[in-house]
Structures are given as C-alpha cells and as structure tokens.
Amino acid sequence: MPETPFIAIELGTLQANISRAAESARASGYALRPHVKTHKIIEIARMQEAAGVLGISVATLGEAEVFVAAGFTDVFIAYPLWLTEAKAQRLDALLDQATIRLGVDSAEAGTQLVKMLGGRAPLLELLIEVDSGHHRSGIEPEKVGELGAHLASLGLEVSGVFTFPGHSYAPGALSTAAEDEAKALATARDQLMAVGQTDAIICSGGSTPSLASANVQVITEQRPGVYVFNDAQQLELGSCDWVDVALTVQATVVSIRGNRVIVDAGSKTLGADRAGYASGYGRILEFHDARIVALSEHHATIEFPEGELPNRGDVLSVIPNHVCNTVNLADQVYVFDRGELVDTWMVAARGRNS
Amino acid sequence: MPETPFIAIELGTLQANISRAAESARASGYALRPHVKTHKIIEIARMQEAAGVLGISVATLGEAEVFVAAGFTDVFIAYPLWLTEAKAQRLDALLDQATIRLGVDSAEAGTQLVKMLGGRAPLLELLIEVDSGHHRSGIEPEKVGELGAHLASLGLEVSGVFTFPGHSYAPGALSTAAEDEAKALATARDQLMAVGQTDAIICSGGSTPSLASANVQVITEQRPGVYVFNDAQQLELGSCDWVDVALTVQATVVSIRGNRVIVDAGSKTLGADRAGYASGYGRILEFHDARIVALSEHHATIEFPEGELPNRGDVLSVIPNHVCNTVNLADQVYVFDRGELVDTWMVAARGRNS
C-alpha cells in the first residue's frame, strides 16, 4: 500500500461514472466532449474515448500538447488564449497534428490570432465565448453577431458558441443555471445565423452540476469534467451520491484531542477550495457526519460526533471539495479494484498551466 | 521571458528578507530554524544557511529526504508523524545522515516510535507539541510533564517543546498570539523541568506574522517560513510592506468586460486559499486598489477602479494569498535581478507530502 497521503481511485466507480454520462449523451443526442482538466490522465481519457467520446476539452495549451502527444486528435482549448509569439508557435505545431478548437471573446484576440498565426489562423475552429451568468470571461449573447461578423471579416472560421454555466455551483441553482445556459446559447446561435452563418452551429455548454438539467434542444455538446470522479462539492450540491465518488485522498490519523481528529492530508494534498455553501474542507467517506472544520498545509482538523472516533494510525478516505485542484497536486494516482491496488497512473498534464 | 502564468522571484528582495530575519535573530539571541516548506527550494535554503541559519524545519518525511540529500544535516520534522513500517525505514535511513528532530503529541505516538524504530528511536530528538491557541495538533501545556515523563520512561530523548501560533493569522492578533505562544511554551518548559529534565530545553515557536512580537525571554528558536517571500496575507495582516514581496505570479490579461479583467492565473497556479480576513484571492503589485473578486482554475477575475484598466496582453504581477501553496503548484520558479531573468530554480520538494 502506498504511504499516506495519496490519491486512491476506485476503478469500478470511475468506469460507471464514465459509462453513465456517455449513455446519457447518446440517449439525448448531444456530443460529450469531457473536460480533461479534471483528471489530466491519459488512461482516463482513453476510457472516455472507449465509451464513445470523440473529442476532448482542455483549459491550456500545455494540456492540449500532452493529450495530442498521446494521440488525441480533436481538442477544444476552451479558453480565450492571448497568443504571444511563443504560444503561437506551440499552437501552430498542434495544428499539424490535430483539429484544434479555440475560445475567443474579443475582436482584439481575433486580430492577435491573425497577427501571430497569419495564414494558419483559419485552420482553427473558433467558438465565441458567451457569459450565461457566471460573469467570468465571455461576452453578452446579444453581441455575438457583431463579433462573429468581425472575426469572419478577418478570414477566421467561427464554428459556434460556448459557455460555462459556473453559477450552477450553488445550492438550488442546478436547473436555473441550465436554463440560463440554454437561453444564452440560443440567443448567441441566433445572432450568428442572422449574420450569415449557415453551417451547423456548435452550441457547447455544460458543467457537472447542470449536466442532467441541460436543455438538449439547444445544446449540441457538453463539457463536464468532474463527473468522472465526483467530489464533496457535487455531494453537497446533490448532483451525486456517496456511491458515485470515485476518488479519495487516503490519510492517516496522527493526532486526537477530544472529538477533534487530525489527519495528514491538508491543503497541499486536498487543495484549499471552500465554496460558500460547503460544510467544511471536504467530507469523510467512512464517517458521513464528521466535518473538516479547519485545514492547514498538512493537517485536516476533523470534528467527529460523539462515540464515532477513529484511532491514531487509522487511515480515512477524505473526499476533497474540488477534485480538479486535488489531482493537480499529485504526480500520480493509485488505482484500486474493490480495494486491491491494481495500477498506478501518472497525472500526465499536472501543472501544465501555460 | 517564460510564458505566463509563471512564478517570478526578485532576488534582491528575497536576499533582503533572508538577511533581515537572520540579523534580527542574532540581535535577539534566538536560533532561526526556517520552515523550508514555504519554498521547497535548495538554492534558497543555501541562502538561509549563508545568512547564519544552522538548522531547518520541514513538514514531511519527503521534504526531509530532499534537504538531507542536498547536504542539510540538522532537520526538524515539525509534525507528529505516525510511523508505519515504510515511514520508519525512511526515518531510520535519515538518522544515518543527519540530526533529526521530530514532533510528538501523544503517548501512543511514542510507543509507536519505539515499536517501529527499536533501539534507534533514542537517536531522535523529540519535541513535544503544545497547543498555544491554534487548536490543531499539540496538547495542553499543562500536560507536558506527564507526557514527557512517559516518553522518557520509554527510553526516548525529549529535547524540548514546540508550538505553532497559527492564530496569529488574523487581523490584530499578531501580538496576542505571540503572548499566547510564550505563555504556552513557558508552562510546557516548566513542566518538563518539574519532571527532571535539566538540560537546555528547546522552546521552539514562530510564525511569520508573530515573528517580530515573539517573547525572546522564553523562545529559544523560531520557525517562520513565509518571511522569505511574503504574500498577500502578510500584506493584509500588516506584517510586511509591498516592497518586501519577493514572489509574484506573472499573468496575462486575456479578457476584459467593463472594469472586470481576467488574467490567466487561477487556483491551479495561485492556490485557492482565502482566509476570512482576505480582501480577495490575492493582490496586484502594479494596481494596489484592484481586487481579485473571483478565482477559477485558470481565471482570476479582477475588479479595477475606474480609469485604471490594463490592456489585453498586458502582464500583471499577482501576489498570491498564501505563498506556500502557490510554490507547491510549480515545478520551477524564475529568478529575476531588477527585472532581468538570471536563473531558474527547481522546486525540489514540490509535492513531497508523504
């Protein structure tokens, strides 16, 4: 057994999560283009491919490079990259090996693409990012027509629109965020059609919490990431159940005082994420009523209900709040099949942030 | 120039921070045993050594292994390790190469040490951890005598006591936390003396915020970590000034809407830390009045005051909230001397959490 703290993945649960989402996409008629930023692991992307996925989403050029090198040939960099000369050279190299889609949310970024990539810029499939309520990057859906026409006038290829309904990450917001998403994408799509875009327009959305509520009349593809593992955020938002959690951090009890227990996994292993709605810094698989009330770099402080205390030296399964940041802290993960260690996978794209 | 996002260290500021703390320790008569978990970088530990530091602190066995392999021979693992067989073998190997100090906060951990290390256990210098108000690991100072006597009866070597006054991380708490620290350490020391400990008793404390307020009549050594770089938490707590910030994450403006600016550094580069007192998810060196109001994995959303907007493609210097977690996300850092790139250092102990 590896030494704690370490990441454990339960293979059967992982496979079930991957299959369920792929089947749901087939049944509903949208393309599933999973966001591999969550796992950054080649073996898991291959499981997704085997379940019927045709393309993947990534957040950075570095992630795209890792997955293209591993043989993935249809990659959406779902991010409004600003191309420097060095980044343009890397993107250009990827265009020789794969179909590359890129996010864009300004006329300036379009001009920069043409300036940096020259005659190669039209090889990119561009998706205009729209804001559906998360208020991060992306433009108002009503402005998509103007930007689409401008990008086309630069000779660029606009294939559709995308959004991230990140405001689904709030209690009770799952279905309203999905409605906002559909409305924003429909408006944006209609704007593109009004300025002469007549080919099939990609309408790409999707977060794990809003996945089940997505309006499949509008959305042509979804880009969930977390669904492969789930995490304490999904549990507490009600978008998964305990049995759907495929990844935990195994941690040893090192200290106990009263009903407060310290385990050897902290923010350097779990990540420091704590959304406003979270009940703590993660959950414990074996003790549903325990709460992680404080987190240091190498200590999680867990309050236990009366009569449920573990012993020093016991190993607990900590479910991190936000699994994407947890995986990004580890060089490798350990794969278990019903409790037996069966494999070790590298987190191939760990730290590929640029 | 490296591609954003990347970590930039300003060498002159780093050297000034290291020298100032070393001089202050000499002037006040305590030993400085810096916590290298903050930087995890061999080159910086050597700068600390050159400034007069004789020993270092680490949080994990893995960090100890990295620094002992690099030639450091006096290492305090300031953590109540629970020794498995595998961890005991690794600790045993370190004892051949260095003086190793270890934290302990229970009779059970002492018994486990003897069980796992046998006749080698007395080679460890043990420091009993006491709780001075942070309520993490550590025992009540009043119980140190009992535990000290018990550990001695097992044949173990108790060299002193230590605490982490982590409750100094709150506005206005700097000096009261330092008072709590001194009181707890003094009580614990007196308890050890009462049970027959007559050698010089190590009283080890110190966090960066409480460093300047420490009671040097009680404390024999301090273990600050963050002081080498400083960060947005130290800025907002008032324990450093803007000119003392030696580390920033260089990030590019990729999107702008109204007065909200998105840069390409998010929680996978900065860390997701946000203490209750923090004004946001970090600060911007060039724009003191801007605030990071939201953070995704690859997006920081920054609100700017009217009339101060940067342009797309501009590179900003983001000061992370908690620099220890930021450095742990990067494989390397870039070293600048007055703006000129002069070196690249590996984060040698990155991810060494077990």
Side-chain angles (χ1 to χ4, degrees), chain B residues 209-223:
Chain B
S210 62
L211 192 59
S213 315
N215 181 338
V216 295
Q217 305 306 313
V218 173
I219 281 173
T220 66
E221 76 172 25
Q222 301 220 59
R223 307 183 316 277

Side-chain angles (χ1 to χ4, degrees), chain A residues 37-55:
Chain A
K37 72 179 169 81
T38 297
H39 57 72
K40 296 169 174 278
I41 292 172
I42 304 297
E43 288 85 348
I44 297 181
R46 295 218 170 105
M47 289 170 70
Q48 292 173 310
E49 202 172 44
V53 158
L54 295 177

Side-chain angles (χ1 to χ4, degrees), chain B residues 5-136:
Chain B
F6 67 89
I7 291 179
I9 290 176
E10 185 56 47
L11 195 56
T13 314
L14 172 67
Q15 183 62 64
N17 292 342
I18 289 173
S19 301
R20 194 184 318 113
E23 280 157 26
S24 176
R26 265 192 299 273
S28 301
Y30 59 82
L32 193 65
R33 184 182 279 271
H35 214 313
V36 299
K37 74 180 167 80
T38 298
H39 57 71
K40 296 169 174 278
I41 292 171
I42 305 297
E43 288 85 347
I44 297 181
R46 295 219 170 102
M47 289 170 71
Q48 291 173 310
E49 201 173 44
V53 157
L54 294 177
I56 59 173
S57 302
V58 300
T60 69
L61 207 40
E63 287 178 352
E65 287 167 337
V66 167
F67 283 92
V68 168
F72 291 84
T73 56
D74 187 358
V75 177
F76 178 17
I77 305 173
Y79 194 85
L81 282 188
W82 185 264
L83 283 197
T84 56
E85 257 178 56
K87 283 200 167 89
Q89 281 174 14
R90 293 164 61 196
L91 188 55
D92 201 353
L94 288 177
L95 284 168
D96 287 336
Q97 306 165 66
T99 300
I100 303 291
R101 255 205 230 161
L102 182 64
V104 59
D105 78 348
S106 69
E108 290 85 347
T111 303
Q112 184 75 0
L113 280 179
V114 173
K115 181 176 162 193
M116 290 291 155
L117 283 175
R120 304 271 285 172
L123 294 177
L124 284 169
E125 280 186 7
L126 296 183
L127 258 58
I128 295 175
E129 185 172 6
V130 298
D131 178 8
S132 56
H134 187 43
H135 307 319
R136 197 172 66 178

Side-chain angles (χ1 to χ4, degrees), chain A residues 94-289:
Chain A
L94 288 177
L95 284 169
D96 288 335
Q97 306 165 67
T99 301
I100 303 290
R101 257 204 230 160
L102 183 62
V104 58
D105 78 347
S106 69
E108 291 84 347
T111 304
Q112 184 74 0
L113 280 179
V114 172
K115 181 175 162 194
M116 289 291 155
L117 284 175
R120 304 269 286 170
L123 294 178
L124 284 169
E125 279 187 8
L126 296 184
L127 258 59
I128 295 176
E129 185 172 5
V130 297
D131 178 8
S132 55
H134 188 44
H135 307 319
R136 196 172 66 178
S137 44
I139 61 173
E140 294 92 332
E142 295 73 18
K143 295 190 173 168
V144 165
E146 188 188 344
L147 179 57
H150 178 79
L151 295 172
S153 78
L154 296 173
L156 295 166
E157 190 67 41
V158 179
S159 307
V161 291
F162 80 109
T163 192
F164 174 63
H167 57 312
S168 63
Y169 278 82
L174 280 60
S175 61
T176 53
E179 282 167 31
D180 293 343
E181 171 187 47
K183 198 170 157 217
L185 288 175
T187 302
R189 176 199 62 198
D190 294 347
Q191 286 253 325
L192 274 191
M193 291 177 73
V195 296
Q197 173 96 18
T198 51
D199 290 346
I201 295 173
I202 296 162
C203 289
S204 176
S207 65
T208 293
S210 62
L211 192 58
S213 315
N215 180 339
V216 295
Q217 305 305 313
V218 173
I219 282 173
T220 66
E221 75 171 27
Q222 299 220 60
R223 308 185 315 280
V226 173
Y227 78 97
V228 295
F229 299 137
N230 290 306
D231 56 20
Q233 288 186 167
Q234 302 300 331
L235 259 181
E236 298 196 338
L237 290 170
S239 69
C240 79
D241 205 343
W242 292 88
V243 295
D244 306 319
V245 174
L247 181 149
T248 59
V249 172
Q250 299 293 298
T252 299
V253 174
V254 297
S255 181
I256 300 179
R257 189 149 55 118
N259 71 329
R260 287 167 80 100
V261 168
I262 310 290
V263 298
D264 63 358
S267 56
K268 280 181 173 166
T269 310
L270 300 168
D273 295 75
R274 184 177 179 175
Y277 60 83
S279 74
Y281 289 94
R283 295 295 286 271
I284 311 297
L285 188 60
E286 296 86 359
F287 297 94
H288 293 195
D289 295 329

Side-chain angles (χ1 to χ4, degrees), chain A residues 3-5 37-38 40 59-61 63 78-82 84 86-87 90 105-106 108-109 129 131 134-140 164 252-257 260 262-265 267-269 271-274 281 296-301 312-314 322 324-325 328-331 350-354, chain B residues 3-5 37-38 40 59-61 63 78-82 84 86-87 90 105-106 108-109 129 131 134-140 164 252-257 260 262-265 267-269 271-274 281 296-301 312-314 322 324-325 328-331 350-354:
Chain A
E3 290 170 64
T4 65
K37 72 179 169 81
T38 297
K40 296 169 174 278
T60 69
L61 207 39
E63 288 178 351
Y79 194 86
L81 282 188
W82 184 265
T84 55
K87 283 201 167 88
R90 293 166 61 197
D105 78 347
S106 69
E108 291 84 347
E129 185 172 5
D131 178 8
H134 188 44
H135 307 319
R136 196 172 66 178
S137 44
I139 61 173
E140 294 92 332
F164 174 63
T252 299
V253 174
V254 297
S255 181
I256 300 179
R257 189 149 55 118
R260 287 167 80 100
I262 310 290
V263 298
D264 63 358
S267 56
K268 280 181 173 166
T269 310
D273 295 75
R274 184 177 179 175
Y281 289 94
S296 304
E297 289 157 59
H298 299 278
H299 305 70
T301 303
R312 284 182 188 80
D314 284 357
H322 183 189
C324 305
N325 278 334
N328 187 48
L329 289 162
D331 292 311
R350 197 211 69 74
R352 297 298 301 265
N353 293 310
S354 72
Chain B
E3 290 169 64
T4 65
K37 74 180 167 80
T38 298
K40 296 169 174 278
T60 69
L61 207 40
E63 287 178 352
Y79 194 85
L81 282 188
W82 185 264
T84 56
K87 283 200 167 89
R90 293 164 61 196
D105 78 348
S106 69
E108 290 85 347
E129 185 172 6
D131 178 8
H134 187 43
H135 307 319
R136 197 172 66 178
S137 44
I139 60 174
E140 294 92 333
F164 174 63
T252 299
V253 175
V254 296
S255 181
I256 301 178
R257 189 148 58 116
R260 287 167 80 100
I262 310 290
V263 298
D264 63 358
S267 56
K268 279 182 174 165
T269 310
D273 295 74
R274 183 176 180 177
Y281 289 94
S296 305
E297 289 157 59
H298 299 278
H299 306 69
T301 303
R312 284 183 189 80
D314 284 357
H322 183 190
C324 305
N325 278 333
N328 186 48
L329 290 161
D331 293 311
R350 197 210 70 73
R352 297 296 303 264
N353 294 310
S354 72

